[in-house]
Amino acid sequence: MSEHTALEARIVELELKATYADDLLDRLNQAVFRQQQQIEVLARELSALRQQQGPEGPSGPRSLQDERPPHY
């Protein structure tokens, strides 16, 4: 294989790797975008639930001393 042919093969290989990296980056960006949308929806739902619940919670004010640990 001549030096020119070897260099050309190496360039093609690097171009293929760059193409795959670009594709992967695009797919990861899409995944991050979808996850951010889901986070925003969940944050709005959490905010709405907190507003429905009121400042004292669903059953009024509570003391942590009145609660039993979950292992009891």
Side-chain angles (χ1 to χ4, degrees):
M1 196 186 316
S2 72
E3 186 178 321
H4 177 71
T5 307
L7 184 59
E8 194 171 303
R10 182 151 167 82
I11 289 173
V12 168
E13 181 183 340
L14 291 172
E15 287 175 339
L16 283 172
K17 287 182 179 182
T19 301
Y20 288 129
D22 283 344
D23 182 56
L24 177 61
L25 182 61
D26 286 341
R27 286 187 283 138
L28 290 172
N29 280 335
Q30 291 171 0
V32 168
F33 177 75
R34 285 190 305 271
Q35 288 176 345
Q36 183 60 40
Q37 287 179 319
Q38 290 173 337
I39 289 169
E40 290 170 2
V41 166
L42 292 171
R44 285 192 298 270
E45 289 176 357
L46 179 61
S47 178
L49 287 172
R50 284 183 175 160
Q51 287 177 354
Q52 289 175 3
Q53 188 174 351
E56 296 179 349
S59 59
R62 296 186 339 200
S63 169
L64 293 178
Q65 293 175 339
D66 294 338
E67 291 190 20
R68 296 179 79 181
H71 61 277
Y72 281 102

